[in-house]
Amino acid sequence: KTDLIRSIDYETVTKLESPYVEAIKDVWHDPGIQESYDRRREYQLPESASYYLQDIDRISAENYLPTEQDIFCVRVPTTGIIEYPFDLQEVMFRMVDVGGQRSERRKWTHCFENVSAIFFFVPLAEYD
């Protein structure tokens, strides 16, 4: 079943056919996979995987339309540095998203020049 799942071209697929859906459900319900998912913080697995895999029948339905919660649970990792300037009560702020992946951290150093404050946002779900 894992070979069938691996054969899915995830970059171009627009619909999951029944054999793929059944294989995904079987693999997801495997006790070893569930145990691995319970230890996801050790492997950097996204918390939202469970959300989508538990609802695979709804998501694979012919008339599927993402809900607000579906969209909210999508994780798009930041790569590079993205700057968001905004004005708050006539004070200009510049929020910089530098991405937390280890490979991105070396790009941060120049972001700390002329800085007044630093805020770190981390997912509470990964707190152990």
Side-chain angles (χ1 to χ4, degrees):
K1 295 184 184 194
T2 57
D3 288 337
L4 181 62
I5 294 170
R6 278 191 215 137
S7 72
I8 299 171
D9 183 359
Y10 62 88
E11 292 183 347
T12 61
V13 70
T14 58
K15 179 184 175 198
L16 287 175
E17 304 291 336
S18 179
Y20 299 108
V21 173
E22 295 308 314
I24 291 168
K25 288 187 336 189
D26 288 348
V27 169
W28 175 243
H29 293 309
D30 180 86
I33 295 295
Q34 289 299 307
E35 184 178 337
S36 295
Y37 186 76
D38 288 342
R39 297 172 54 193
R40 67 188 169 274
R41 70 184 168 283
E42 298 174 35
Y43 309 109
Q44 304 283 316
L45 294 176
E47 175 188 2
S48 60
S50 170
Y51 172 81
Y52 295 109
L53 291 168
Q54 288 176 4
D55 236 355
I56 190 74
D57 286 325
R58 179 180 63 83
I59 291 169
S60 63
E62 184 74 35
N63 60 348
Y64 170 69
L65 186 63
T67 64
E68 285 184 17
Q69 187 67 26
D70 293 344
I71 295 167
F72 180 72
C73 287
V74 171
R75 181 181 185 287
V76 179
T78 302
T79 56
I81 297 170
I82 302 173
E83 193 171 312
Y84 302 94
F86 62 96
D87 185 330
L88 182 64
Q89 297 179 352
E90 298 183 24
V91 176
M92 203 58 190
F93 288 88
R94 183 174 62 123
M95 183 175 76
V96 181
D97 184 351
V98 293
Q101 290 79 19
R102 187 166 302 192
S103 63
E104 298 294 320
R105 294 177 188 166
R106 61 182 159 70
K107 301 174 185 175
W108 293 4
T109 54
H110 75 278
C111 293
F112 293 110
E113 298 169 2
N114 300 318
V115 171
S116 301
I118 298 174
F119 295 95
F120 289 96
F121 296 93
V122 296
L124 289 175
E126 293 185 18
Y127 179 75
D128 186 8

